[in-house]
Amino acid sequence: MQRITLAPGYEISRVIRGGWQLSASHSQSVSDDPVADMIAFADAGITTFDCADIYTGVEEMIGRFRSEYARLRGREALARIRVHTKFVPDMARLRDITKSYVEGVIDRSLRRLGMERLDTVQFHWWDYSAERWLQAAQWLEDLRKAGKINRVGGTNFDTAHLLAMRRAGVEMSSMQVQYSLLDRRPEKSFVDVAMQEGVALYCYGTVAGGFLGNRWLGAAEPKPPLENRSLTKYKLIIDDLGGWDLFQALLRVLDGIAQRHGTDIATIASAAVLARRGVAAVIVGARNRAHLAANLRISDIVLAPEDLRAIDAVLAEARPLKGDVYELERDVSGHGSIMKYNLNSEGIAKSA
């Protein structure tokens, strides 16, 4: 597994184990033993884990994993583990958010994860018209300076808002963005700006909720309701790009490439994003360790020029997605209609 050093003393694996699929609010189909699965990932070299305050139960799972990993492998091994969580204030709190609210959520994440300082906190804000987003970012920066957070990053901010936070003195050392062969909106302007600013990109959605996988090759177009919110979300992207026939053409090309490399479609789709400019790591959603071997291959795949040309030839037929990073998803009546906007209130009540 390739690793990358982002700052002195701060190294991560270039494949990050995602946590959304483990959330009770996402799916009921999760691992029978998530802690054992996390240990298997860490032992294999995937030592960076992504979660969020609103991923119901996931911070607690990772906290149990960290404790067990220290017991089994020792404190030195635990020191290689990185946990990237998120601060996602409720939609209902955006207009009256306070510093005590921000610190209360961060303190809860510290307790859940069993950490004295959070490795990285990635800040998300639902609605730019609620103008306290910059103040909230600055409060996170204050908590970083106070020692509760090592690195402050963001999730789903667009180019203009990333620059505004950087200019206001907020570190924004990383940004988690939706980036895949189906969703190339970051390439419009965001990647260039992030590279200029020294902001590492952590990319999620590289397999489009599972659509970029062998399961869907040759399959009939699914009808709603779909299995989970991830599939619902990315089916909208497929529709906007040009529909199911174009998507199937891309899958056929990816399958041919995968066969040449002795792997599967999902691995090729993630490897293609990991090789993009400015990308520090890709986040793989995994309910268990069933796909661990394939996940480990992602950083080893080197796509040939003819592979890239074949992919580009199909995507040349696609309609460009509208807007900057995450712009479509901010429409609560459209792409954003699948989101749950007030999960932190429930979490605070349960932790009180």
Side-chain angles (χ1 to χ4, degrees):
M1 173 52 53
Q2 291 181 9
R3 304 180 67 78
I4 185 170
T5 299
L6 301 175
Y10 201 92
E11 183 183 77
I12 66 169
S13 54
R14 294 200 68 204
V15 174
I16 298 173
R17 167 79 186 274
W20 190 27
Q21 283 75 8
L22 297 176
S23 171
S25 64
H26 170 71
S27 174
Q28 298 302 311
S29 177
V30 298
S31 169
D32 292 332
D33 193 345
V35 169
D37 288 335
M38 290 178 194
I39 290 172
F41 272 77
D43 285 347
I46 298 177
T47 57
T48 309
F49 296 81
D50 177 79
C51 60
D53 47 10
I54 63 168
Y55 296 175
T56 311
V58 179
E59 285 184 326
E60 292 93 335
M61 287 181 197
I62 294 177
R64 293 194 297 273
F65 152 69
R66 292 184 73 256
S67 178
E68 184 67 1
Y69 202 67
R71 185 184 71 82
L72 294 173
R73 305 292 186 260
R75 303 300 298 184
E76 184 175 342
L78 181 63
R80 287 171 56 83
I81 303 299
R82 295 286 179 230
V83 179
H84 297 172
T85 193
K86 299 181 188 70
F87 169 62
V88 187
D90 288 347
M91 177 80 87
R93 292 300 307 269
L94 299 186
R95 297 182 190 280
D96 64 357
I97 195 169
T98 63
K99 187 172 184 177
S100 62
Y101 173 89
V102 175
E103 188 164 12
V105 175
I106 295 303
D107 285 343
R108 188 189 62 194
S109 292
L110 286 165
R111 291 193 303 271
R112 287 172 169 178
L113 290 164
M115 303 177 76
E116 295 181 359
R117 181 176 67 169
L118 299 174
D119 290 329
T120 293
V121 172
Q122 300 167 112
F123 172 42
H124 176 80
W125 192 261
W126 294 113
D127 181 3
Y128 292 145
S129 70
E131 296 179 353
R132 294 193 180 189
W133 57 270
L134 184 55
Q135 180 69 80
Q138 291 170 325
W139 287 330
L140 288 173
E141 182 68 14
D142 290 343
L143 292 171
R144 184 185 72 83
K145 293 174 179 176
K148 290 190 176 185
I149 300 169
N150 186 355
R151 293 164 65 84
V152 172
T155 299
N156 296 326
F157 282 96
D158 62 20
T159 308
H161 289 81
L162 167 62
L163 282 172
M165 288 184 286
R166 294 277 293 184
R167 300 298 179 260
V170 181
E171 182 187 47
M172 282 293 125
S173 60
S174 61
M175 187 66 69
Q176 189 173 134
V177 293
Q178 184 173 299
Y179 193 4
S180 70
L181 294 176
L182 296 176
D183 183 358
R184 294 171 292 160
R185 285 175 290 174
E187 296 175 5
K188 294 180 179 180
S189 64
F190 195 91
V191 170
D192 285 339
V193 169
M195 292 180 69
Q196 292 165 10
E197 295 289 321
V199 176
L201 297 186
Y202 306 146
C203 302
Y204 71 91
T206 59
V207 297
F211 272 122
L212 289 172
N214 288 74
R215 169 190 172 187
W216 293 100
L217 178 63
E221 183 171 4
K223 304 298 181 185
L226 302 184
E227 180 183 345
N228 55 51
R229 287 188 291 146
S230 286
L231 291 176
T232 301
K233 169 188 177 74
Y234 291 107
K235 179 58 167 59
L236 292 172
I237 295 290
I238 291 169
D239 293 344
D240 286 352
L241 280 176
W244 197 250
D245 289 344
L246 177 66
F247 171 63
Q248 285 295 316
L250 177 61
L251 285 186
R252 288 192 293 271
V253 166
L254 294 176
D255 182 52
I257 296 169
Q259 291 187 42
R260 289 195 292 275
H261 287 270
T263 187
D264 59 12
I265 290 173
T267 301
I268 295 299
S270 292
V273 175
L274 187 61
R276 290 295 205 263
R277 297 170 57 249
V279 175
V282 295
I283 301 167
V284 296
R287 296 176 182 175
N288 52 51
R289 73 191 90 167
H291 299 290
L292 175 55
N295 295 157
L296 290 169
R297 288 210 62 195
I298 291 171
S299 68
D300 293 332
I301 297 291
V302 178
L303 296 179
E306 57 267 30
D307 297 332
L308 299 175
R309 285 194 295 270
I311 293 170
D312 289 343
V314 176
L315 294 178
E317 302 299 318
R319 294 190 295 261
L321 295 179
K322 296 179 180 178
D324 202 335
V325 169
Y326 209 69
E327 187 170 325
L328 289 170
E329 290 76 8
R330 292 184 183 278
D331 178 4
V332 298
S333 64
H335 283 247
S337 63
I338 69 160
M339 302 306 297
K340 297 182 179 181
Y341 291 100
N342 295 293
L343 287 172
N344 248 317
S345 296
E346 178 183 347
I348 289 173
K350 288 182 177 179
S351 298

